[in-house]
Amino acid sequence: MTPTLVQSTGPAHTRIYSYGAARGEIAVPNDDLVGPIDSSDEWIRQRTGIITRTRAVAGTTAIDLATDAGREAIERSGVDPAKIDAVIVATISNPKQTPSVSAIVADRVGSNPAAAYDLNAACAGFAYGVAQADALIRAGAAHYALVIGTEKLSDVVDPADRSISFLLGDGAGAVVIGPSDTPGIGPTVWGSDGSKAEAVGMNHTLTEFRDGTAPWPTLRQEGPTVFRWAVWEMVKVARQALEAAGVQASDLAAFVPHQANMRIIDEFAKQLGLPDTVVVGRDIETTGNTSAASIPLATHRLLEEHPELSGGLALQIGFGAGLVFGAQVVVLP
């Protein structure tokens, strides 16, 4: 007789316990960047809404930023770091191809030997990480999870590129996720459109750089293509996430989209028909676009500035390179 396998099961619900954040040490105003792109402070403000962005010093890595954000999230959660048995890090800026950022961070924060892995979903990476942590805990594969989005995008910036370089900043945002008596993380609506992969991403490969056939790879984007896709297609995804969670836009306390561009954020909020009572994350103004870190960084700031949001619903949506996207409604801690 074939033996019957045992499959694990976990709690019915999960929630986010806390947020942590770390931003680059240097504030870089627009005036410091306009020379190589033949632009102006006014042009950047009008096109992006950015006044300044945070960037890390040469000796700070995405791993360091992730560690600092993770430590704060753990401290605020009240969870013993030794009980965190899954660490998921979303990043496109690991300074090495391997080992993973997550394994190093797990050890640094005191969660060794947690299961640890990195994921690359660019600006949707944090939403992907939350979805996976939620599923792992409810399946019984983990008890508590640390999810981090971390980027040092200043390492992959061409100062002379007018398409994206002036948008980018450095930072990390983290959350601790664990079991809950009531639903705290709604269903995730996610996907991709690889047919438009050339719209935003790296302009060369590391092997081309190694072989001397291309310069150091940096980020590029087709601004109009990304703008149209983000506003029109991602609004549909946001509405699907609301429907899947069984709530309406008027039920939200906060809306936290990926901090890609202030014009995208404002148009997004307009298309969703958000009431004035919904607080919109606009961290991009002083932090810049930090890809996988932008949603937790923006949410961390909202909770610092608006503690009354605690216990309310927030719609978060990430979208970016490879035209990968992910959205879910969460209960704010």
Side-chain angles (χ1 to χ4, degrees), residues 254-259 279-281 294-299 302 314-318 332:
F255 173 52
V256 191
H258 163 51
Q259 304 292 290
V279 181
V280 179
S294 76
I295 290 174
L297 280 175
T299 308
L302 281 187
L315 169 62
Q316 56 187 30
I317 178 167
L332 295 171

Side-chain angles (χ1 to χ4, degrees), residues 279-296:
V279 181
V280 179
R282 292 188 171 90
D283 189 49
I284 190 172
E285 185 176 58
T286 55
T287 300
N289 178 341
T290 55
S291 190
S294 76
I295 290 174

Side-chain angles (χ1 to χ4, degrees), residues 104-319:
I104 297 171
V105 171
D107 180 59
R108 287 185 179 183
V109 302
S111 297
N112 199 347
Y117 63 93
D118 293 356
L119 64 88
N120 182 341
C123 310
F126 179 74
Y128 270 47
V130 170
Q132 293 180 27
D134 166 59
L136 288 171
I137 294 169
R138 289 192 292 113
H143 296 90
Y144 297 94
L146 176 64
V147 178
I148 305 172
T150 186
E151 304 289 7
K152 190 183 180 186
L153 299 178
S154 57
D155 285 344
V156 289
V157 164
D158 175 0
D161 170 54
R162 287 177 61 90
S163 75
I164 197 172
S165 62
F166 53 89
L167 288 167
L168 305 177
D170 302 333
V175 293
V176 172
I177 296 175
S180 174
D181 293 333
T182 56
I185 299 174
T188 297
V189 177
W190 53 357
S192 65
D193 183 1
S195 69
K196 296 183 179 65
E198 297 302 317
V200 55
M202 306 302 289
N203 61 344
H204 299 293
T205 67
L206 288 173
T207 51
E208 288 172 337
F209 173 71
R210 178 200 64 193
D211 295 341
T213 60
W216 176 251
T218 57
L219 280 167
R220 294 289 197 277
Q221 73 170 348
E222 297 174 7
T225 300
V226 174
F227 184 90
R228 288 192 298 269
W229 175 74
V231 171
W232 304 113
E233 296 303 317
M234 291 305 95
V235 166
K236 298 175 186 176
V237 173
R239 289 177 180 143
Q240 291 172 23
L242 290 171
E243 182 178 358
V247 300
Q248 299 178 353
S250 58
D251 296 320
L252 296 175
F255 173 52
V256 191
H258 163 51
Q259 304 292 290
N261 180 309
M262 193 73 81
R263 292 168 60 204
I264 290 176
I265 294 170
D266 290 342
E267 185 62 28
F268 212 147
K270 178 182 176 182
Q271 293 297 322
L272 279 176
L274 298 178
D276 294 338
T277 55
V278 178
V279 181
V280 179
R282 292 188 171 90
D283 189 49
I284 190 172
E285 185 176 58
T286 55
T287 300
N289 178 341
T290 55
S291 190
S294 76
I295 290 174
L297 280 175
T299 308
H300 180 277
R301 175 158 283 168
L302 281 187
L303 289 171
E304 292 287 300
E305 296 176 349
H306 301 276
E308 72 276 7
L309 294 176
S310 178
L313 297 178
L315 169 62
Q316 56 187 30
I317 178 167
F319 47 88

Side-chain angles (χ1 to χ4, degrees), residues 46-131:
Q46 289 179 349
R47 301 277 294 186
T48 70
I50 298 174
I51 297 173
T52 185
R53 75 281 296 136
T54 58
R55 288 186 174 172
V57 298
T60 298
T61 68
I63 301 170
D64 299 324
L65 293 166
T67 301
D68 290 344
R71 283 175 174 154
E72 182 186 359
I74 293 171
E75 182 178 351
R76 290 188 169 198
S77 73
V79 175
D80 182 345
K83 292 184 178 180
I84 294 174
D85 46 7
V87 176
I88 304 169
V89 174
T91 187
I92 61 169
S93 47
N94 185 347
K96 296 181 179 180
Q97 295 292 95
T98 193
S100 68
V101 174
S102 54
I104 297 171
V105 171
D107 180 59
R108 287 185 179 183
V109 302
S111 297
N112 199 347
Y117 63 93
D118 293 356
L119 64 88
N120 182 341
C123 310
F126 179 74
Y128 270 47
V130 170

